[in-house]
């Protein structure tokens, strides 16, 4: 029986495009399958802010950030906290990824035309000791053009492969089976779904209009994770985080359903670290949703007061932007699925950024003029739209009205105005001196020592109840599903492994389906900017390895 291609790639997101581009460079023939229509080509990466983790970059050095491979590896290992026998390959992948981020990564991307916003972001700051979780220095490099800017060179390379006759793009093809002959997996079967004209991100019909069977010498699984499938998220919810939330908003479209992981498992692949997940705690309902239950993440600066559902401040060091999963663990112990930011207009104007390409039209459109306009704006237009239309926002001139609005929004009188006033007044007293025992105030002042934060991310310390900084704002924060940190176990050549530890002949995996490499390169926590980068790194390795294997 003849082969239909040298390699079949399952999933047309960033990892799949990267793998396909590498296969094209090697002259291999590829069939790229995806269950979504062509307008969704690029997958989740299209919607991303385009943040990439780089180490000791020119952008860092220009901002006087002293980074190094040793410091980055220390941060990664302290964050990942690998502690399981199955962490062998994830640990090896982590070491390789830090090597890549400190070495070839930026130059490789730069050669393809990718450029970066000059201000480096400081995500996941940790707040523990030097060997614990968090980035010791800013490393979050935003791509000029955001997610579409990251995708552009790989789309261009794949389209060039189509023009050369090396790549076939087959959309609305949903894989349901992998089979082997002569000892290796070489057959992909599935269903052809009805055509869909739905715009990117919106769910199309799932009616089956046909079937397919394709054969190739190798198969690369790049189908993504489970973040759009709340049933699977709850089924694998880690016990260390308590019971899963009653309600969550979705940071990814519904087609991120995890079904291909089950197909691979049925074919003999080993899935590891299923209980390791990355869900955000600062989710808000999109006032203009693209997909059902569409949530947007606030990327906050450090100044907002973070309160639980009853109005109590979260404990140290659970400040905005410091420890995502540590905060999630604390929230799930409160008995409620939501929390609050309390802040003012001065803070929201300086410190609120919204994740997503569509929420950052200046960066996505590569407009220097619009970037300067946003920096000068009292409140950036995308943030102002949420203030005006977002269901999770309460905006009032005085604290009493703010508390009444918060209680009305939650449907329960959980927040006591007098108690909250005492908390805010006590915090505001700490602002009057350069000395303080409030560690969040210390963190704010420390952040402003970094030029990037002082320019665009951290408001000058001030009293929240100062009328000149008003009005007051409360934002209800929801749990936002996003990334799967576990996945198909792979070796350093992206070969998928079986339960016995041997390669599943003919099968490779990359991106979120492989836990971004090895079945869980991030361990328990992530340092941010490592998801797109993980797709790029693992997709590149998988494409090159498969190309060599079919020579």
């Amino acid at each position: 029986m003849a082969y239909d291609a040298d390699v079949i790639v399952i999933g047309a997101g960033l990892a799949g495009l990267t793998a396909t581009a590498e296969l094209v460079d090697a002259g291999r023939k590829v069939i790229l399958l995806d269950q979504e229509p062509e307008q969704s080509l690029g997958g989740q990466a299209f919607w991303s802010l385009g943040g990439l983790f780089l180490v000791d970059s020119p952008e860092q050095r220009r901002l006087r950030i002293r980074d190094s491979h040793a410091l980055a590896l220390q941060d990664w290992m302290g964050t990942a906290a690998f502690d399981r026998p199955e962490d062998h390959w994830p640990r090896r992948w982590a070491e390789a990824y830090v090597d890549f981020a400190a070495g070839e990564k930026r130059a490789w991307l730069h050669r393809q035309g990718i450029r970066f916003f000059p201000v480096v972001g400081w995500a996941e700051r940790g707040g523990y000791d030097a060997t614990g979780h968090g980035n010791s220095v800013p490393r979050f490099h935003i791509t000029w053009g955001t997610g579409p800017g990251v995708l552009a060179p790989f789309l261009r390379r794949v389209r060039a492969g189509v023009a050369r006759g090396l790549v076939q793009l087959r959309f609305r093809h949903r894989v349901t089976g992998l089979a082997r002959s002569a000892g290796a997996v070489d057959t992909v079967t599935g269903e052809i779904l009805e055509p869909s004209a739905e715009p990117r991100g919106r769910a199309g019909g799932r009616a089956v209009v046909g079937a397919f069977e394709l054969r190739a010498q190798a198969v690369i699984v790049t189908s993504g994770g489970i973040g759009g499938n709340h049933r699977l998220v709850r089924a694998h919810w880690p016990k260390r985080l308590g019971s899963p939330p009653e309600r969550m908003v979705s940071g990814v479209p519904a087609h991120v359903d995890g079904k291909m992981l089950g197909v691979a498992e049925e074919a003999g692949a080993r899935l590891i670290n299923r209980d390791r997940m990355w869900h955000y705690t600062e989710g808000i309902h999109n006032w203009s949703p693209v997909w059902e239950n569409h949530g947007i993440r606030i990327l906050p600066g450090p100044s907002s007061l973070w309160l639980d559902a009853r109005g109590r401040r979260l404990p140290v060091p659970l400040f905005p932007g410091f420890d995502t999963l540590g905060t999630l663990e604390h929230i799930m112990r409160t008995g409620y699925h939501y929390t609050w930011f309390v802040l003012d207009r001065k803070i929201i104007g300086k410190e609120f950024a919204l994740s997503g390409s569509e929420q950052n039209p200046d960066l996505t459109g590569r407009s220097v003029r619009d970037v300067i306009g946003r920096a000068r704006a009292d409140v950036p237009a995308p943030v102002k739209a949420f203030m005006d239309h977002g269901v999770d926002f309460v905006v009032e001139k005085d604290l009493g009205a703010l508390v009444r609005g918060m209680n009305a929004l939650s449907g329960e009188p959980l927040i006591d105005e007098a108690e909250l006033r005492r908390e805010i007044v006590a915090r505001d007293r700490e602002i009057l001196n350069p000395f303080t025992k409030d560690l969040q105030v210390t963190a704010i002042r420390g952040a402003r020592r970094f030029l990037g934060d002082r320019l665009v991310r951290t408001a000058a310390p001030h009293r929240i109840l100062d009328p000149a900084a008003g009005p007051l704002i409360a934002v209800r924060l929801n749990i936002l599903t996003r990334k799967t940190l576990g996945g198909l176990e792979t070796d350093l050549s992206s070969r998928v492994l079986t339960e016995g530890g041997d390669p599943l002949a003919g099968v490779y995996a990359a991106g979120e389906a492989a836990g971004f490499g090895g079945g869980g390169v991030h361990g328990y926590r992530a340092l941010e900017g490592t998801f797109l980068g993980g797709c790029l790194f693992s997709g590149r390795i998988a494409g090159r390895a498969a190309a060599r294997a079919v020579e």
Side-chain angles (χ1 to χ4, degrees):
M1 186 183 296
Y3 290 119
D4 299 288
D6 296 318
V7 181
I8 295 172
V9 178
I10 303 171
L14 180 58
L17 291 171
T18 305
T20 301
E22 294 295 324
L23 287 160
V24 167
D25 286 355
R28 304 295 179 260
K29 291 186 176 181
V30 185
I31 297 176
L32 178 56
L33 305 176
D34 199 280
Q35 69 176 354
E36 296 308 297
E38 185 170 4
Q39 53 269 32
S40 288
L41 184 62
Q44 298 175 60
F46 177 87
W47 302 105
S48 76
L49 186 58
L52 292 170
F53 177 93
L54 296 172
V55 178
D56 194 26
S57 69
E59 290 77 17
Q60 287 176 301
R61 293 194 292 271
R62 281 194 289 269
L63 292 168
R64 299 181 181 178
I65 299 166
R66 297 181 180 178
D67 201 4
S68 68
H69 176 277
L71 184 61
L73 186 62
Q74 173 180 297
D75 287 348
W76 193 294
M77 292 304 178
T79 295
F82 295 122
D83 63 355
R84 297 173 175 176
E86 57 266 39
D87 283 333
H88 169 74
W89 287 114
R91 185 188 296 271
R92 297 280 303 278
W93 271 88
E95 293 167 347
Y97 184 75
V98 173
D99 290 347
F100 180 59
E104 185 185 358
K105 182 179 180 180
R106 186 185 181 280
W108 177 65
L109 294 172
H110 201 269
R111 287 194 299 270
Q112 298 180 72
I114 289 179
R115 299 294 183 267
F116 298 102
F117 187 62
V119 177
V120 182
W122 196 353
E124 289 297 301
R125 304 184 188 209
Y128 305 96
D129 59 31
T131 60
H133 168 65
N135 284 295
S136 299
V137 297
R139 296 192 177 104
F140 191 77
H141 295 66
I142 298 176
T143 302
W144 190 232
T146 67
V150 176
L151 283 169
F154 301 97
L155 287 169
R156 183 172 62 249
R157 292 168 64 188
V158 170
R159 295 288 189 193
V162 173
R164 291 171 57 190
L166 292 176
V167 177
Q168 298 179 44
L169 300 175
R170 299 197 185 186
F171 302 101
R172 305 300 279 162
H173 280 57
R174 180 169 64 193
V175 175
T176 58
L178 300 175
R180 65 179 72 199
S181 64
V185 172
D186 59 3
T187 305
V188 178
T189 57
E191 301 165 334
I192 302 174
L193 304 181
E194 63 182 340
S196 173
E198 291 292 337
R200 180 187 292 272
R202 294 193 184 277
R206 288 294 185 259
V208 176
V209 297
F212 70 89
E213 179 176 307
L214 298 167
R215 297 187 71 245
Q217 297 178 63
V219 176
I220 303 177
V221 179
T222 58
S223 55
I226 68 172
N229 187 335
H230 289 196
R231 181 188 62 80
L232 275 183
V233 169
R234 290 189 171 94
H236 298 300
W237 189 264
K239 292 181 180 179
R240 64 185 178 278
L241 296 181
S243 300
E246 297 175 9
R247 292 192 294 276
M248 299 179 284
V249 290
S250 291
V252 294
H255 65 254
V256 186
D257 56 22
K259 292 181 180 179
M260 186 62 214
L261 295 174
V263 172
E265 189 174 29
E266 289 179 6
R270 186 189 187 201
L271 273 168
I272 61 174
N273 297 316
R274 299 185 204 218
D275 64 331
R276 291 180 180 169
M277 306 175 179
W278 190 255
H279 305 308
Y280 290 112
T281 52
E282 312 100 329
I284 51 177
H285 293 85
N286 192 345
W287 67 272
S288 181
V290 176
W291 52 82
E292 185 179 355
N293 197 28
H294 185 180
I296 295 293
R297 186 207 175 191
I298 297 169
L299 287 80
S303 300
S304 298
L305 277 186
W306 204 337
L307 312 174
D308 68 17
R310 293 186 175 275
R312 299 169 295 206
R313 279 180 79 175
L314 271 57
V316 174
L318 305 183
F319 310 135
F322 277 65
D323 181 3
T324 293
L325 286 200
T327 304
L328 178 58
E329 183 176 358
H330 175 80
I331 292 170
M332 299 318 300
R333 291 200 300 264
T334 68
Y336 295 89
H337 63 272
Y338 67 93
T339 54
W340 295 96
F341 278 164
V342 170
L343 60 155
D344 55 37
R345 189 180 186 91
K346 187 173 181 179
I347 293 172
I348 202 171
K350 186 85 165 182
E351 297 195 4
F352 267 36
L354 301 171
S355 182
S357 55
E358 81 283 13
Q359 300 297 331
N360 296 273
D362 50 347
L363 295 169
T364 302
R366 309 183 193 210
S367 171
V368 174
R369 183 181 64 181
D370 289 348
V371 168
I372 293 172
R374 174 160 77 166
R376 291 175 173 173
D378 184 29
V379 177
V383 176
K384 184 64 165 57
F386 273 90
M387 288 177 62
D388 293 342
H389 307 295
V391 298
D392 296 301
F393 284 69
V394 181
V395 182
E396 296 289 352
K397 291 183 178 180
D398 64 83
L399 187 61
L402 190 79
V403 170
R404 289 191 294 273
M406 294 166 72
N407 285 332
L409 186 57
S410 67
E412 297 181 86
L414 296 178
I415 298 179
D416 180 86
E417 179 189 345
E419 288 294 327
L420 181 54
R421 186 179 298 275
R422 275 194 290 273
E423 188 71 68
I424 297 176
V425 168
R427 178 264 184 205
D428 282 357
R429 288 194 189 105
E430 298 286 317
I431 294 296
L432 298 177
N433 294 289
F435 319 106
T436 180
K437 66 179 180 182
D438 188 314
L439 289 183
Q440 185 173 4
V441 176
T442 298
I444 294 167
R445 290 181 174 141
R448 285 180 59 82
R449 295 179 62 190
F450 168 47
L451 179 61
D453 274 358
R454 188 165 69 251
L455 289 174
V456 298
R457 291 295 286 144
T458 305
H462 64 278
R463 292 183 296 115
I464 288 177
L465 293 181
D466 182 353
L472 295 171
I473 302 162
V475 186
R476 181 180 60 183
L477 306 172
N478 308 273
I479 307 303
L480 176 77
T481 64
R482 186 62 69 84
K483 295 299 180 186
T484 310
L485 298 188
L488 298 169
E489 186 178 28
T490 60
D491 64 14
L492 285 179
S493 295
S494 288
R495 296 182 301 177
V496 172
L497 304 180
T498 66
E499 285 291 338
D502 299 315
L504 179 61
V507 183
Y508 301 78
E512 195 172 354
F516 302 92
V521 67
H522 299 94
Y524 288 95
R525 285 177 166 92
L527 287 174
E528 290 290 13
T530 58
F531 300 135
L532 293 178
C535 289
L536 294 168
F537 183 52
S538 60
R540 190 176 88 145
I541 289 176
R544 292 180 179 184
R548 290 192 300 270
V550 300
E551 287 180 347

